Amino acid sequence: MRLRAEVVPLDALCIKAIVATLMSFPPSSLRPAGVRLCRVTQDRKGGAWVFTSVKVVMSDLNKEVVDLVWGRPSSGGVSASIFRRWTQGFVFSENEHTALEQFEGGPCAVIAPVQAFLLKNILFNRESPNWRQMSEEEQRTALCTTLSEILESACSSPATEFCLVTWAKGQTPQTSTHTNTPTQSQSQTQDLPEPESSQPPQEQQPTALATEDLGFEQFHSVLHKRTVTSVSGLREEVLSLYHTWRGCCGVLLFLYSVILTKGIENIRNEIQDTMEPLIDPVHGHGSQSLVNLLVTGHAVSNVWDGDRECSGMKLHGIHKQASVGFLTLMESLRYCKVGAFLKSPKFPIWILGSETHLSVFFTKEMSLVGPESPSEQARRVFQSFDPEDNGFIAESLLEDVMKALDLVSEPEYVSLVKSKLDPESLGIILLGPFLLEFFPDQDSGIPDSFPIYHYNGLKQSNHNERVEYVEGTALVLGFEDPMVRTDDTPVKRCLQTKWPYIELLWTTDRSPSLN
């Protein structure tokens, strides 16, 4: 950061007029030609007031990060309201000790993946009879372990250094707190941000947003990059920065750490459209590339398995089984098709995507993510020949499906199967009868019912605006079973992209919100 300051003595009448003018404008207006009018103070002897102007200069590295994350808005910058939504830290709910709170729309693209990995570590890596209860020290350990894990997955190779983005020395902004702040210093300050401020005391509890005066340009001018060369060193550094992650802009600082650890050029090579920013500067929503980066370590733009060719262009997808999964309502609307690597993760935790928000669905039932059964494999292969997800294939494709499944595929036998599965000669083969014919008594190993939980970090999306898990029971029926319709909510439609015949029974009067 480079600062150019000019101190000008002013008389009392002049300073009164300037302060009155400044206080009539929002902080975002204090940015003419890159100059921030930072503070108005009176010297300690009660004498002359001084007005300090500070020119904020963004480093070239920060400009690259800004272009990648926020793009280059034609209006000349990211709006103050959009940036403000992203200035929260990782804050645990007072009502649900293992759940993170989200205060405004936008940062769910980071918070939901972190919550999913956090639950994985709490449910399956932590020995405790009550997974919903954690002390503050346990929260510290769990959060920092989770952040380190995501950073490790983003590292492109073992030889690559880890990068942690923090505040430059003496530049940590003061955050609002639930407790009263200490007595003000002898210098009288007129509600404008100090160019430098000290680290907030650890006992203060961070709230949703940063000091209102911390603008987009100033934030990017006071960042510092730390480099760590080992995994053990990374974990120690992340743990030491716990209060940074919880405080003002903790979510953004972590996101920038992931980006610099991964490498800006590596991310650009993986994103399908390099002109599309990771965060929409107009609406503030995170892109699929951002979600995939945090979930898989790769910023690819698609959710299918492997790469695909389209008009001579290679479109990148997911290349290995993820630790936590991803399902989206967009698939039920036929906008996309999520592949098995995200639908069938290593742990039974799925990020759920709606049109505008991300939440988390999870259970402790590990049989849901066991090895693929023959019938599940058959369903997957059949559906690969049904790209539009119609539930049927053309009769001419039956032989190819049978060959892909290593079934007997002699022409005479295939012809016999066709006449059996398509008795009315409609020219199509339905998925249900196909599975019944070749896998009639296959047990997938999934229990008929199991406990489930849903997390939504937005206060306003929870009952009584309390961020708490919604409990329920899932029933997974077979395609030949009579339907027991319980509801037709977005959450259910999202889950049906993995379990077509799932039914949900929630313990609350209303189903949890996907938005």
Side-chain angles (χ1 to χ4, degrees), residues 135-190:
S135 65
E136 185 174 351
E137 182 58 31
E138 288 173 324
Q139 288 177 334
R140 176 176 178 261
T141 301
L143 177 62
C144 292
T145 299
T146 297
L147 299 184
S148 296
E149 179 182 1
I150 295 174
L151 282 163
E152 289 172 38
S153 72
C155 192
S156 56
S157 70
T160 304
E161 296 176 331
F162 300 98
C163 293
L164 296 176
V165 179
T166 62
W167 303 107
K169 185 176 181 181
Q171 297 294 330
T172 307
Q174 292 284 357
T175 56
S176 303
T177 60
H178 295 307
T179 58
N180 293 329
T181 56
T183 307
Q184 291 183 343
S185 62
Q186 295 178 359
S187 173
Q188 303 175 39
T189 305
Q190 298 294 325

Short mmCIF file of all heavy atoms in Angstrom, two decimals, residues 135-190:
data_model
loop_
_atom_site.label_atom_id
_atom_site.label_comp_id
_atom_site.label_asym_id
_atom_site.label_seq_id
_atom_site.Cartn_x
_atom_site.Cartn_y
_atom_site.Cartn_z
N SER A 135 -17.97 -25.98 22.25
CA SER A 135 -17.44 -24.83 23.00
C SER A 135 -16.78 -23.88 22.01
O SER A 135 -16.57 -24.21 20.84
CB SER A 135 -16.41 -25.31 24.02
OG SER A 135 -15.28 -25.86 23.36
N GLU A 136 -16.44 -22.69 22.47
CA GLU A 136 -15.79 -21.71 21.60
C GLU A 136 -14.44 -22.23 21.10
O GLU A 136 -14.07 -22.02 19.94
CB GLU A 136 -15.60 -20.38 22.32
CG GLU A 136 -15.04 -19.30 21.40
CD GLU A 136 -14.98 -17.93 22.05
OE1 GLU A 136 -15.52 -17.77 23.16
OE2 GLU A 136 -14.37 -17.03 21.45
N GLU A 137 -13.71 -22.94 21.96
CA GLU A 137 -12.43 -23.49 21.54
C GLU A 137 -12.63 -24.58 20.48
O GLU A 137 -11.86 -24.69 19.52
CB GLU A 137 -11.69 -24.06 22.75
CG GLU A 137 -10.31 -24.63 22.44
CD GLU A 137 -9.37 -23.61 21.81
OE1 GLU A 137 -9.50 -22.41 22.12
OE2 GLU A 137 -8.50 -24.02 21.00
N GLU A 138 -13.69 -25.38 20.62
CA GLU A 138 -13.99 -26.41 19.63
C GLU A 138 -14.43 -25.77 18.31
O GLU A 138 -14.10 -26.27 17.23
CB GLU A 138 -15.08 -27.34 20.15
CG GLU A 138 -14.60 -28.27 21.26
CD GLU A 138 -15.73 -29.07 21.88
OE1 GLU A 138 -16.85 -28.52 22.01
OE2 GLU A 138 -15.50 -30.24 22.24
N GLN A 139 -15.16 -24.67 18.39
CA GLN A 139 -15.54 -23.94 17.18
C GLN A 139 -14.29 -23.44 16.46
O GLN A 139 -14.18 -23.53 15.23
CB GLN A 139 -16.45 -22.77 17.52
CG GLN A 139 -17.85 -23.16 17.94
CD GLN A 139 -18.69 -21.95 18.33
OE1 GLN A 139 -18.15 -20.92 18.75
NE2 GLN A 139 -20.00 -22.07 18.22
N ARG A 140 -13.36 -22.92 17.22
CA ARG A 140 -12.11 -22.41 16.65
C ARG A 140 -11.36 -23.51 15.91
O ARG A 140 -10.93 -23.34 14.76
CB ARG A 140 -11.25 -21.83 17.77
CG ARG A 140 -9.86 -21.35 17.36
CD ARG A 140 -9.17 -20.71 18.57
NE ARG A 140 -7.81 -20.26 18.25
CZ ARG A 140 -6.72 -20.95 18.54
NH1 ARG A 140 -6.81 -22.13 19.15
NH2 ARG A 140 -5.53 -20.47 18.23
N THR A 141 -11.23 -24.66 16.56
CA THR A 141 -10.51 -25.78 15.95
C THR A 141 -11.23 -26.28 14.71
O THR A 141 -10.61 -26.52 13.66
CB THR A 141 -10.35 -26.92 16.97
OG1 THR A 141 -9.63 -26.44 18.10
CG2 THR A 141 -9.60 -28.10 16.35
N ALA A 142 -12.55 -26.45 14.81
CA ALA A 142 -13.32 -27.00 13.69
C ALA A 142 -13.30 -26.08 12.48
O ALA A 142 -13.11 -26.53 11.34
CB ALA A 142 -14.76 -27.26 14.13
N LEU A 143 -13.49 -24.78 12.70
CA LEU A 143 -13.51 -23.83 11.59
C LEU A 143 -12.15 -23.76 10.91
O LEU A 143 -12.05 -23.83 9.67
CB LEU A 143 -13.93 -22.45 12.07
CG LEU A 143 -13.93 -21.35 10.99
CD1 LEU A 143 -14.92 -21.66 9.88
CD2 LEU A 143 -14.22 -19.98 11.59
N CYS A 144 -11.09 -23.64 11.70
CA CYS A 144 -9.76 -23.49 11.11
C CYS A 144 -9.30 -24.77 10.42
O CYS A 144 -8.63 -24.71 9.38
CB CYS A 144 -8.76 -23.06 12.18
SG CYS A 144 -9.07 -21.37 12.79
N THR A 145 -9.68 -25.93 10.95
CA THR A 145 -9.38 -27.20 10.28
C THR A 145 -10.07 -27.25 8.93
O THR A 145 -9.49 -27.69 7.92
CB THR A 145 -9.83 -28.39 11.14
OG1 THR A 145 -9.12 -28.37 12.38
CG2 THR A 145 -9.59 -29.71 10.43
N THR A 146 -11.31 -26.79 8.89
CA THR A 146 -12.09 -26.78 7.65
C THR A 146 -11.48 -25.83 6.62
O THR A 146 -11.33 -26.18 5.45
CB THR A 146 -13.54 -26.38 7.95
OG1 THR A 146 -14.13 -27.36 8.81
CG2 THR A 146 -14.36 -26.28 6.68
N LEU A 147 -11.14 -24.63 7.04
CA LEU A 147 -10.55 -23.66 6.12
C LEU A 147 -9.21 -24.18 5.58
O LEU A 147 -8.91 -24.02 4.39
CB LEU A 147 -10.35 -22.31 6.82
CG LEU A 147 -11.62 -21.62 7.35
CD1 LEU A 147 -11.26 -20.26 7.93
CD2 LEU A 147 -12.67 -21.47 6.26
N SER A 148 -8.43 -24.81 6.43
CA SER A 148 -7.15 -25.37 5.98
C SER A 148 -7.36 -26.47 4.95
O SER A 148 -6.64 -26.55 3.95
CB SER A 148 -6.37 -25.93 7.18
OG SER A 148 -6.02 -24.91 8.08
N GLU A 149 -8.37 -27.31 5.18
CA GLU A 149 -8.67 -28.40 4.26
C GLU A 149 -9.02 -27.88 2.87
O GLU A 149 -8.55 -28.41 1.85
CB GLU A 149 -9.82 -29.25 4.81
CG GLU A 149 -10.22 -30.40 3.92
CD GLU A 149 -11.39 -31.18 4.47
OE1 GLU A 149 -11.91 -30.82 5.55
OE2 GLU A 149 -11.81 -32.16 3.82
N ILE A 150 -9.84 -26.84 2.81
CA ILE A 150 -10.23 -26.27 1.52
C ILE A 150 -9.03 -25.64 0.83
O ILE A 150 -8.86 -25.75 -0.39
CB ILE A 150 -11.37 -25.26 1.72
CG1 ILE A 150 -12.62 -25.96 2.24
CG2 ILE A 150 -11.68 -24.52 0.42
CD1 ILE A 150 -13.76 -25.03 2.60
N LEU A 151 -8.18 -24.97 1.60
CA LEU A 151 -6.97 -24.38 1.02
C LEU A 151 -6.04 -25.45 0.48
O LEU A 151 -5.44 -25.30 -0.59
CB LEU A 151 -6.25 -23.53 2.07
CG LEU A 151 -6.85 -22.14 2.35
CD1 LEU A 151 -6.33 -21.58 3.66
CD2 LEU A 151 -6.54 -21.19 1.20
N GLU A 152 -5.93 -26.56 1.19
CA GLU A 152 -5.07 -27.66 0.73
C GLU A 152 -5.59 -28.25 -0.58
O GLU A 152 -4.81 -28.58 -1.47
CB GLU A 152 -5.00 -28.74 1.80
CG GLU A 152 -4.19 -28.34 3.04
CD GLU A 152 -4.31 -29.36 4.15
OE1 GLU A 152 -4.33 -30.57 3.85
OE2 GLU A 152 -4.39 -28.95 5.33
N SER A 153 -6.92 -28.37 -0.70
CA SER A 153 -7.48 -28.94 -1.93
C SER A 153 -7.31 -27.99 -3.11
O SER A 153 -7.27 -28.42 -4.27
CB SER A 153 -8.97 -29.26 -1.74
OG SER A 153 -9.75 -28.08 -1.70
N ALA A 154 -7.20 -26.68 -2.84
CA ALA A 154 -7.03 -25.70 -3.91
C ALA A 154 -5.59 -25.62 -4.39
O ALA A 154 -5.32 -25.11 -5.48
CB ALA A 154 -7.47 -24.32 -3.44
N CYS A 155 -4.65 -26.13 -3.59
CA CYS A 155 -3.23 -26.06 -3.96
C CYS A 155 -2.99 -26.95 -5.17
O CYS A 155 -3.30 -28.14 -5.16
CB CYS A 155 -2.38 -26.50 -2.77
SG CYS A 155 -0.64 -26.16 -2.97
N SER A 156 -2.44 -26.39 -6.22
CA SER A 156 -2.32 -27.11 -7.49
C SER A 156 -1.31 -28.25 -7.46
O SER A 156 -1.44 -29.22 -8.20
CB SER A 156 -1.93 -26.13 -8.61
OG SER A 156 -0.74 -25.44 -8.28
N SER A 157 -0.31 -28.17 -6.59
CA SER A 157 0.67 -29.24 -6.48
C SER A 157 1.34 -29.18 -5.11
O SER A 157 1.33 -28.13 -4.46
CB SER A 157 1.74 -29.11 -7.58
OG SER A 157 2.56 -28.00 -7.33
N PRO A 158 1.90 -30.30 -4.63
CA PRO A 158 2.55 -30.30 -3.31
C PRO A 158 3.67 -29.27 -3.18
O PRO A 158 3.97 -28.82 -2.09
CB PRO A 158 3.09 -31.73 -3.18
CG PRO A 158 2.26 -32.54 -4.12
CD PRO A 158 1.91 -31.63 -5.26
N ALA A 159 4.27 -28.93 -4.30
CA ALA A 159 5.39 -27.98 -4.26
C ALA A 159 4.93 -26.53 -4.23
O ALA A 159 5.73 -25.62 -4.02
CB ALA A 159 6.30 -28.20 -5.47
N THR A 160 3.63 -26.31 -4.46
CA THR A 160 3.12 -24.95 -4.52
C THR A 160 2.99 -24.35 -3.12
O THR A 160 2.63 -25.04 -2.17
CB THR A 160 1.74 -24.93 -5.21
OG1 THR A 160 1.85 -25.52 -6.49
CG2 THR A 160 1.21 -23.51 -5.34
N GLU A 161 3.28 -23.08 -3.00
CA GLU A 161 3.14 -22.41 -1.72
C GLU A 161 1.68 -22.08 -1.44
O GLU A 161 0.89 -21.89 -2.35
CB GLU A 161 3.98 -21.12 -1.72
CG GLU A 161 5.47 -21.35 -1.85
CD GLU A 161 6.24 -20.05 -1.93
OE1 GLU A 161 5.68 -19.06 -2.42
OE2 GLU A 161 7.40 -20.04 -1.49
N PHE A 162 1.34 -21.99 -0.16
CA PHE A 162 0.01 -21.56 0.26
C PHE A 162 0.05 -20.06 0.51
O PHE A 162 1.04 -19.54 1.03
CB PHE A 162 -0.42 -22.28 1.54
CG PHE A 162 -0.48 -23.78 1.40
CD1 PHE A 162 0.57 -24.57 1.83
CD2 PHE A 162 -1.59 -24.40 0.84
CE1 PHE A 162 0.52 -25.95 1.71
CE2 PHE A 162 -1.65 -25.78 0.72
CZ PHE A 162 -0.60 -26.55 1.15
N CYS A 163 -1.00 -19.38 0.15
CA CYS A 163 -1.10 -17.93 0.36
C CYS A 163 -2.25 -17.62 1.30
O CYS A 163 -3.36 -18.15 1.13
CB CYS A 163 -1.31 -17.20 -0.96
SG CYS A 163 0.10 -17.30 -2.08
N LEU A 164 -2.00 -16.78 2.27
CA LEU A 164 -3.03 -16.32 3.18
C LEU A 164 -3.13 -14.80 3.06
O LEU A 164 -2.13 -14.10 3.21
CB LEU A 164 -2.71 -16.72 4.63
CG LEU A 164 -2.68 -18.23 4.91
CD1 LEU A 164 -2.25 -18.49 6.34
CD2 LEU A 164 -4.04 -18.84 4.64
N VAL A 165 -4.32 -14.32 2.78
CA VAL A 165 -4.55 -12.88 2.63
C VAL A 165 -5.11 -12.34 3.94
O VAL A 165 -6.15 -12.81 4.41
CB VAL A 165 -5.50 -12.58 1.46
CG1 VAL A 165 -5.75 -11.09 1.34
CG2 VAL A 165 -4.93 -13.13 0.16
N THR A 166 -4.42 -11.39 4.52
CA THR A 166 -4.85 -10.80 5.79
C THR A 166 -4.75 -9.28 5.66
O THR A 166 -4.46 -8.74 4.60
CB THR A 166 -3.96 -11.28 6.94
OG1 THR A 166 -2.60 -10.84 6.71
CG2 THR A 166 -3.97 -12.80 7.04
N TRP A 167 -4.99 -8.61 6.79
CA TRP A 167 -4.84 -7.16 6.80
C TRP A 167 -3.37 -6.78 6.92
O TRP A 167 -2.61 -7.46 7.60
CB TRP A 167 -5.60 -6.55 7.99
CG TRP A 167 -7.06 -6.88 8.03
CD1 TRP A 167 -7.70 -7.73 8.87
CD2 TRP A 167 -8.07 -6.36 7.16
NE1 TRP A 167 -9.03 -7.78 8.59
CE2 TRP A 167 -9.29 -6.95 7.54
CE3 TRP A 167 -8.05 -5.46 6.09
CZ2 TRP A 167 -10.49 -6.67 6.89
CZ3 TRP A 167 -9.25 -5.18 5.44
CH2 TRP A 167 -10.44 -5.77 5.85
N ALA A 168 -2.99 -5.71 6.25
CA ALA A 168 -1.64 -5.17 6.43
C ALA A 168 -1.48 -4.72 7.88
O ALA A 168 -2.47 -4.40 8.56
CB ALA A 168 -1.40 -4.01 5.47
N LYS A 169 -0.28 -4.70 8.35
CA LYS A 169 -0.03 -4.35 9.75
C LYS A 169 -0.62 -2.99 10.09
O LYS A 169 -0.39 -2.00 9.40
CB LYS A 169 1.47 -4.34 10.02
CG LYS A 169 1.82 -4.11 11.49
CD LYS A 169 3.31 -4.20 11.72
CE LYS A 169 3.65 -3.99 13.19
NZ LYS A 169 5.11 -4.06 13.43
N GLY A 170 -1.41 -2.97 11.15
CA GLY A 170 -2.02 -1.72 11.59
C GLY A 170 -3.21 -1.28 10.78
O GLY A 170 -3.69 -0.16 10.94
N GLN A 171 -3.72 -2.16 9.87
CA GLN A 171 -4.81 -1.75 8.98
C GLN A 171 -6.13 -2.47 9.26
O GLN A 171 -7.07 -2.32 8.51
CB GLN A 171 -4.42 -2.00 7.52
CG GLN A 171 -3.23 -1.18 7.06
CD GLN A 171 -3.54 0.31 7.03
OE1 GLN A 171 -4.67 0.71 6.81
NE2 GLN A 171 -2.54 1.13 7.25
N THR A 172 -6.19 -3.29 10.32
CA THR A 172 -7.42 -4.00 10.62
C THR A 172 -8.53 -3.02 10.94
O THR A 172 -8.39 -2.21 11.85
CB THR A 172 -7.21 -4.94 11.83
OG1 THR A 172 -6.07 -5.75 11.59
CG2 THR A 172 -8.45 -5.80 12.03
N PRO A 173 -9.65 -3.07 10.21
CA PRO A 173 -10.73 -2.12 10.48
C PRO A 173 -11.44 -2.44 11.77
O PRO A 173 -11.50 -3.60 12.19
CB PRO A 173 -11.67 -2.30 9.29
CG PRO A 173 -11.44 -3.69 8.86
CD PRO A 173 -9.99 -3.98 9.12
N GLN A 174 -11.95 -1.42 12.41
CA GLN A 174 -12.76 -1.62 13.61
C GLN A 174 -14.12 -2.13 13.18
O GLN A 174 -14.76 -1.56 12.32
CB GLN A 174 -12.93 -0.29 14.38
CG GLN A 174 -11.66 0.24 14.99
CD GLN A 174 -11.27 -0.51 16.25
OE1 GLN A 174 -11.98 -1.40 16.68
NE2 GLN A 174 -10.14 -0.16 16.83
N THR A 175 -14.58 -3.23 13.80
CA THR A 175 -15.91 -3.74 13.51
C THR A 175 -16.86 -3.35 14.62
O THR A 175 -16.46 -3.13 15.75
CB THR A 175 -15.90 -5.26 13.39
OG1 THR A 175 -15.37 -5.81 14.60
CG2 THR A 175 -15.06 -5.72 12.22
N SER A 176 -18.14 -3.27 14.24
CA SER A 176 -19.15 -3.07 15.25
C SER A 176 -19.18 -4.31 16.13
O SER A 176 -18.92 -5.40 15.69
CB SER A 176 -20.52 -2.87 14.60
OG SER A 176 -20.48 -1.79 13.71
N THR A 177 -19.54 -4.15 17.40
CA THR A 177 -19.58 -5.29 18.30
C THR A 177 -20.85 -5.26 19.12
O THR A 177 -21.54 -4.26 19.22
CB THR A 177 -18.38 -5.27 19.27
OG1 THR A 177 -18.44 -4.06 20.03
CG2 THR A 177 -17.06 -5.30 18.52
N HIS A 178 -21.14 -6.42 19.72
CA HIS A 178 -22.31 -6.51 20.57
C HIS A 178 -22.06 -5.88 21.93
O HIS A 178 -22.97 -5.68 22.72
CB HIS A 178 -22.70 -7.98 20.77
CG HIS A 178 -23.14 -8.64 19.50
ND1 HIS A 178 -24.11 -8.12 18.69
CD2 HIS A 178 -22.72 -9.79 18.90
CE1 HIS A 178 -24.30 -8.92 17.65
NE2 HIS A 178 -23.46 -9.94 17.76
N THR A 179 -20.80 -5.62 22.22
CA THR A 179 -20.45 -5.02 23.50
C THR A 179 -20.02 -3.60 23.30
O THR A 179 -19.69 -3.17 22.20
CB THR A 179 -19.31 -5.82 24.15
OG1 THR A 179 -18.19 -5.82 23.26
CG2 THR A 179 -19.73 -7.26 24.43
N ASN A 180 -19.99 -2.87 24.38
CA ASN A 180 -19.57 -1.48 24.29
C ASN A 180 -18.07 -1.42 24.02
O ASN A 180 -17.28 -2.18 24.56
CB ASN A 180 -19.88 -0.74 25.60
CG ASN A 180 -21.37 -0.62 25.82
OD1 ASN A 180 -22.13 -0.52 24.86
ND2 ASN A 180 -21.80 -0.64 27.09
N THR A 181 -17.67 -0.47 23.20
CA THR A 181 -16.26 -0.30 22.87
C THR A 181 -15.57 0.47 23.99
O THR A 181 -16.21 1.20 24.75
CB THR A 181 -16.10 0.45 21.55
OG1 THR A 181 -16.78 1.69 21.64
CG2 THR A 181 -16.68 -0.36 20.41
N PRO A 182 -14.25 0.34 24.09
CA PRO A 182 -13.53 1.09 25.12
C PRO A 182 -13.68 2.59 24.92
O PRO A 182 -14.07 3.07 23.87
CB PRO A 182 -12.08 0.64 24.91
CG PRO A 182 -12.17 -0.67 24.17
CD PRO A 182 -13.39 -0.55 23.32
N THR A 183 -13.29 3.32 25.94
CA THR A 183 -13.38 4.78 25.89
C THR A 183 -12.57 5.32 24.73
O THR A 183 -11.48 4.85 24.45
CB THR A 183 -12.84 5.37 27.21
OG1 THR A 183 -13.54 4.76 28.29
CG2 THR A 183 -13.02 6.87 27.24
N GLN A 184 -13.13 6.30 24.05
CA GLN A 184 -12.44 6.88 22.90
C GLN A 184 -11.16 7.57 23.35
O GLN A 184 -11.00 8.01 24.47
CB GLN A 184 -13.34 7.88 22.18
CG GLN A 184 -14.52 7.23 21.48
CD GLN A 184 -15.31 8.27 20.72
OE1 GLN A 184 -15.18 9.46 20.98
NE2 GLN A 184 -16.13 7.81 19.80
N SER A 185 -10.23 7.64 22.41
CA SER A 185 -8.96 8.30 22.70
C SER A 185 -9.17 9.80 22.85
O SER A 185 -10.24 10.33 22.59
CB SER A 185 -7.97 8.02 21.57
OG SER A 185 -8.47 8.57 20.38
N GLN A 186 -8.13 10.48 23.26
CA GLN A 186 -8.22 11.92 23.50
C GLN A 186 -8.53 12.66 22.21
O GLN A 186 -9.11 13.73 22.23
CB GLN A 186 -6.91 12.43 24.10
CG GLN A 186 -6.64 11.85 25.48
CD GLN A 186 -5.32 12.32 26.03
OE1 GLN A 186 -4.58 13.05 25.37
NE2 GLN A 186 -5.00 11.92 27.25
N SER A 187 -8.12 12.09 21.08
CA SER A 187 -8.40 12.74 19.81
C SER A 187 -9.86 12.60 19.47
O SER A 187 -10.43 11.53 19.56
CB SER A 187 -7.54 12.11 18.71
OG SER A 187 -7.91 12.63 17.47
N GLN A 188 -10.53 13.69 19.10
CA GLN A 188 -11.94 13.67 18.77
C GLN A 188 -12.09 13.36 17.29
O GLN A 188 -11.59 14.09 16.45
CB GLN A 188 -12.58 15.02 19.09
CG GLN A 188 -12.41 15.42 20.56
CD GLN A 188 -12.96 16.81 20.78
OE1 GLN A 188 -13.98 17.18 20.22
NE2 GLN A 188 -12.29 17.58 21.62
N THR A 189 -12.81 12.25 16.96
CA THR A 189 -12.93 11.81 15.59
C THR A 189 -14.38 11.91 15.13
O THR A 189 -15.29 11.53 15.85
CB THR A 189 -12.46 10.35 15.46
OG1 THR A 189 -11.15 10.25 15.98
CG2 THR A 189 -12.47 9.90 14.02
N GLN A 190 -14.59 12.39 13.92
CA GLN A 190 -15.92 12.67 13.43
C GLN A 190 -16.45 11.53 12.56
O GLN A 190 -16.62 11.65 11.36
CB GLN A 190 -15.89 13.96 12.60
CG GLN A 190 -15.47 15.18 13.40
CD GLN A 190 -16.48 15.53 14.46
OE1 GLN A 190 -17.67 15.36 14.25
NE2 GLN A 190 -16.02 16.00 15.60
#
